[in-house]
Amino acid sequence: SISRNSISCYSLEKKKYIESSQKPHIAEINCLDSSGSFIVTGGCDASLVLWKISNGSINVERQSVVNNHTISC
């Protein structure tokens, strides 16, 4: 699930939603992909964010700005 500038996901193991308290995007997130315990988001703020799901939480691993262009999928 995507809010304006953060993410949450459903944990099958814990049977509840996990929401990140971090909000690295300063504009809307408009694309998301995942692989294993990693999630990548891109947004209207021209940033890509790599998130990691670990121990029942979602945390930002890395963030990068891409030449001030809106990222779209």
Side-chain angles (χ1 to χ4, degrees):
S1 166
I2 303 173
S3 71
R4 178 174 166 80
N5 58 357
S6 189
I7 61 173
S8 64
C9 65
Y10 188 79
S11 170
L12 293 174
E13 181 180 309
K14 296 188 180 282
K15 298 181 181 173
K16 67 177 187 174
Y17 276 96
I18 302 169
E19 185 170 352
S20 176
S21 61
Q22 298 171 300
K23 300 185 184 317
H25 287 281
I26 58 171
E28 290 183 16
I29 296 170
N30 60 358
C31 57
L32 175 143
D33 198 1
S34 65
S35 178
S37 62
F38 291 96
I39 298 171
V40 176
T41 54
C44 296
D45 58 359
S47 68
L48 292 170
V49 178
L50 177 65
W51 309 77
K52 184 173 183 180
I53 302 169
S54 175
N55 299 321
S57 64
I58 306 170
N59 295 298
V60 173
E61 287 285 306
R62 299 200 193 273
Q63 182 175 6
S64 181
V65 175
V66 183
N67 295 326
N68 294 324
H69 295 295
T70 298
I71 297 169
S72 60
C73 300

